[in-house]
Amino acid sequence: MEMREMDLWYTEKQTKNHGITTKINKTLYHDKSEFQTLDVIETAEFGNMLVLDGMVMTTDRDEFVYHEMITHVAMNTHPNPKRVLVVGGGDGGAIREILRYPSVEQAVLAEIDGKVIEASKQFFPKIAGGLDDPRVDIQVADGIQHVRDNKGKYDVILVDSTEPVGPAVGLFQKPFYEEIYEALKEDGIMVAQTESPWFNRDLIRQVFRDISNTFPITRLYTASIPTYPSGLWSFTIGSKKYDPLAVDEAKLHRFDTRYYRPELHKALFSLPAFVLELLQPEGE
Amino acid sequence: MEMREMDLWYTEKQTKNHGITTKINKTLYHDKSEFQTLDVIETAEFGNMLVLDGMVMTTDRDEFVYHEMITHVAMNTHPNPKRVLVVGGGDGGAIREILRYPSVEQAVLAEIDGKVIEASKQFFPKIAGGLDDPRVDIQVADGIQHVRDNKGKYDVILVDSTEPVGPAVGLFQKPFYEEIYEALKEDGIMVAQTESPWFNRDLIRQVFRDISNTFPITRLYTASIPTYPSGLWSFTIGSKKYDPLAVDEAKLHRFDTRYYRPELHKALFSLPAFVLELLQPEGE
């Protein structure tokens, strides 16, 4: 008798009319929290995949890109980051990268949904591994409130949010960037994940304008993340003092990373024309 | 009575276990040639889409990336390209970009499948528009044979091939690069599309090694193409004399392009670590 396994595929509509589809070996976890639905699936192509509210957050195979790239450009621009905040980022990947810096004394994780942290510890041990480090302070709390309550405290703040729907909407708005400005020390620097230059053009324009109106230095860069919409992702930096384009690359920290390299640091800001036009005051 | 349209989606398995799915408004064309199946579909997200043997070749919305990027890096590195060959590229997009250079006297298209040219003229007029230019010599012929028969003729050769299956297999092999070397003038330069750094790692390693063993200067760069596997695509340059990293960016031609910019020319070669490792002699 022939035995056949059920052929399971996970399909995510990344826009109304386009998406990815990927083969599932098995489903590992499904839950609902106060904030969102959580799923972990074992895929054939990308290993374990974390899905929140039906959107891919991270996978074993390509997580290194997102976590290195949200972390090292800002961290390596700041000459001496001691206190660092991650807003969101409950999977722990950004924390893992932050802890590579010997100057870091405290890394605070303000994640609103404790279930994300628990699921990551269980199903993504390589990503969440740093969360048990004694320098890490995990706060299951609203990141907006945390930022509001900690003025002048941080050297670097990373906004490692979900998509701008549901609980994360406020993380893409100007009042939040203004409160981040206040939560940073006088030479502090922030970075936010800011979606796809192909599919979220209005959002990127608005965020870049809002951060430009808040910080004296604003920069945008991109990275290749195959499981994210369009495969191209953007990050926006706001900085009070240090310009990522003014660093001496020869003096940057070098780690055993798989995407970020010091030699890439400045080149990241040379943008394709269709991305650069998002940063022009008048837009297209 | 409620009337509902059929909900049509095109799904392409880009690897055995992963792919894209995109909504179709209507199918415009289906045919078979001696070499491959040809389809043109009107998609909701990307406009018209050309599909050969079940693989996306180009779309209205993102074609500019591929066609600019396979063309301008090599063309703008050569100081005075007069005679240019495109192997494959029957859609005409590379030809369109080549014709922007005032130095070009002749642009030869060696496309094995005349049906690709006809379909492109009918359904992608903006891409194929340059094919009627008097400087263009369209040869419906085997590109390998054409290269073999034209020694020392070309300033620039672009290998704008389909995936390395079926008729295009020979376009990814060392004997072909050696024949391209012979078909180039003594200061000639070639570029080939060389697949995804995420999904075609062995192929890129092999091609880079083969071109390195044929040309004194070999360089690889990437671009973001959302409808191609992983969203990240690679191109490999082989050059007899001119190094793309040695150009004076201030003197490069500037066109009304949407991806390539002179300011991007050198930065393109600053690669993420996981791509750079493909170019190391020992590999990973």
Side-chain angles (χ1 to χ4, degrees):
Chain A
M1 194 180 85
E2 189 193 10
M3 306 255 298
R4 293 182 60 178
E5 295 286 341
M6 182 168 65
D7 196 29
L8 270 179
W9 288 70
Y10 162 66
T11 300
E12 176 185 336
K13 279 197 193 179
Q14 299 172 318
T15 73
K16 188 180 159 205
N17 296 314
H18 185 75
I20 56 168
T21 186
T22 206
K23 187 168 167 56
I24 299 177
N25 294 336
K26 53 188 166 188
T27 60
L28 298 172
Y29 172 79
H30 173 72
D31 202 356
K32 277 192 189 198
S33 72
E34 184 185 347
F35 305 101
Q36 55 204 342
T37 62
L38 301 90
D39 290 275
V40 179
I41 55 183
E42 182 191 304
T43 73
E45 188 70 54
F46 292 98
N48 286 1
M49 177 181 275
L50 175 66
V51 181
L52 299 181
D53 275 349
M55 292 175 280
V56 176
M57 288 299 115
T58 200
T59 81
D60 282 338
R61 183 166 169 193
D62 70 356
E63 61 89 8
F64 71 92
V65 182
Y66 180 84
H67 293 128
E68 292 178 12
M69 293 303 285
I70 199 170
T71 302
H72 293 298
V73 183
M75 286 291 288
N76 231 346
T77 295
H78 194 292
N80 188 30
K82 291 180 180 172
R83 300 179 94 171
V84 183
L85 169 67
V86 178
V87 175
D91 55 45
I95 290 287
R96 179 192 65 197
E97 298 301 316
I98 289 164
L99 294 174
R100 293 179 186 258
Y101 291 78
S103 63
V104 170
E105 296 168 1
Q106 187 188 32
V108 177
L109 182 75
E111 163 64 57
I112 203 167
D113 192 346
K115 282 183 185 282
V116 173
I117 298 169
E118 294 313 311
S120 187
K121 285 184 174 179
Q122 184 173 356
F123 297 105
F124 300 89
K126 286 185 182 170
I127 301 177
L131 292 176
D132 295 325
D133 188 283
R135 289 170 289 171
V136 177
D137 174 10
I138 298 178
Q139 308 220 354
V140 178
D142 177 4
I144 295 176
Q145 192 60 48
H146 180 90
V147 165
R148 201 171 284 154
D149 294 343
N150 287 275
K151 295 201 191 304
K153 176 175 176 184
Y154 291 106
D155 297 298
V156 181
I157 295 178
L158 278 56
V159 185
D160 181 1
S161 68
T162 53
E163 317 307 294
V165 290
V169 168
L171 304 182
F172 290 83
Q173 293 175 344
K174 188 158 191 290
F176 181 56
Y177 304 130
E178 291 167 351
E179 291 178 321
I180 285 179
Y181 186 94
E182 296 297 325
L184 286 167
K185 294 182 192 164
E186 62 186 12
D187 61 352
I189 183 169
M190 70 155 282
V191 61
Q193 76 83 2
T194 46
E195 309 285 308
S196 163
W198 286 98
F199 293 146
N200 308 96
R201 294 176 68 75
D202 291 342
L203 178 105
I204 292 174
R205 268 201 199 88
Q206 173 231 306
V207 165
F208 194 84
R209 192 169 54 233
D210 288 347
I211 295 181
S212 297
N213 287 333
T214 309
F215 287 84
I217 299 163
T218 311
R219 304 278 181 213
L220 182 139
Y221 59 96
T222 64
S224 155
I225 306 179
T227 58
Y228 280 14
S230 84
L232 186 70
W233 215 243
S234 74
F235 301 86
T236 307
I237 280 179
S239 181
K240 291 186 175 183
K241 179 175 177 185
Y242 306 114
D243 186 343
L245 283 173
V247 300
D248 179 352
E249 286 187 344
K251 293 183 181 166
L252 295 178
H253 291 273
R254 182 181 299 278
F255 306 108
D256 181 25
T257 45
R258 294 196 58 211
Y259 196 101
Y260 177 85
R261 304 186 300 130
E263 296 80 3
L264 204 60
H265 190 98
K266 290 185 186 177
L268 288 169
F269 300 96
S270 295
L271 300 172
F274 85 107
V275 182
L276 185 68
E277 72 189 19
L278 298 175
L279 317 186
Q280 310 305 321
E282 292 307 304
E284 51 181 3
Chain B
M1 194 179 86
E2 189 192 10
M3 307 256 296
R4 293 180 62 175
E5 296 285 342
M6 182 168 64
D7 196 28
L8 271 178
W9 288 69
Y10 163 65
T11 300
E12 176 185 337
K13 278 197 194 181
Q14 299 171 317
T15 73
K16 187 181 159 204
N17 296 313
H18 185 75
I20 56 168
T21 186
T22 205
K23 187 168 168 56
I24 298 177
N25 294 335
K26 54 187 165 187
T27 62
L28 298 171
Y29 172 78
H30 173 73
D31 202 354
K32 277 190 188 198
S33 73
E34 185 184 347
F35 304 102
Q36 54 203 344
T37 62
L38 300 90
D39 291 276
V40 178
I41 54 183
E42 183 192 304
T43 73
E45 188 70 52
F46 292 97
N48 286 3
M49 176 181 276
L50 174 65
V51 180
L52 299 181
D53 276 348
M55 292 174 281
V56 177
M57 288 300 116
T58 200
T59 82
D60 282 338
R61 182 166 169 193
D62 69 356
E63 62 88 8
F64 70 93
V65 182
Y66 180 84
H67 293 128
E68 292 178 11
M69 293 304 284
I70 198 170
T71 303
H72 294 298
V73 183
M75 286 290 289
N76 230 346
T77 295
H78 194 293
N80 188 31
K82 291 180 180 172
R83 300 178 94 171
V84 183
L85 169 66
V86 178
V87 175
D91 56 45
I95 291 286
R96 179 192 65 197
E97 297 301 317
I98 289 164
L99 294 174
R100 293 179 186 259
Y101 291 78
S103 63
V104 169
E105 295 169 0
Q106 186 187 33
V108 177
L109 182 75
E111 163 63 57
I112 203 167
D113 192 345
K115 282 184 186 280
V116 173
I117 298 169
E118 293 314 310
S120 187
K121 284 184 174 178
Q122 185 173 355
F123 297 106
F124 300 89
K126 286 186 182 169
I127 300 177
L131 293 176
D132 296 324
D133 188 283
R135 290 169 288 171
V136 176
D137 174 9
I138 297 179
Q139 308 219 354
V140 178
D142 178 4
I144 295 177
Q145 191 60 49
H146 180 90
V147 165
R148 202 171 284 156
D149 294 342
N150 287 275
K151 295 201 191 304
K153 177 175 176 184
Y154 291 107
D155 298 299
V156 181
I157 296 178
L158 279 55
V159 185
D160 181 2
S161 69
T162 53
E163 317 307 294
V165 290
V169 167
L171 304 182
F172 290 84
Q173 293 175 344
K174 188 158 190 289
F176 182 56
Y177 304 131
E178 290 167 350
E179 292 179 321
I180 286 180
Y181 186 94
E182 296 297 325
L184 287 167
K185 293 182 193 163
E186 62 187 11
D187 60 352
I189 182 169
M190 68 156 281
V191 62
Q193 76 83 3
T194 46
E195 309 285 306
S196 163
W198 287 97
F199 292 146
N200 309 95
R201 295 176 68 75
D202 290 343
L203 178 105
I204 292 174
R205 268 203 199 87
Q206 172 232 304
V207 165
F208 193 84
R209 194 168 53 232
D210 288 347
I211 295 180
S212 297
N213 287 332
T214 308
F215 288 83
I217 298 163
T218 310
R219 304 278 181 214
L220 183 140
Y221 59 97
T222 64
S224 154
I225 305 179
T227 57
Y228 280 13
S230 83
L232 185 70
W233 213 244
S234 74
F235 302 85
T236 306
I237 280 181
S239 182
K240 291 185 175 185
K241 181 175 176 184
Y242 306 114
D243 186 343
L245 283 173
V247 301
D248 179 353
E249 286 187 346
K251 292 180 179 166
L252 296 178
H253 291 274
R254 182 182 299 277
F255 306 107
D256 181 25
T257 45
R258 294 195 58 212
Y259 197 101
Y260 176 86
R261 303 187 301 130
E263 297 80 3
L264 204 60
H265 191 96
K266 291 186 188 178
L268 288 170
F269 299 96
S270 295
L271 300 172
F274 85 106
V275 182
L276 185 67
E277 71 188 19
L278 298 175
L279 316 187
Q280 310 306 321
E282 294 307 304
E284 54 180 359

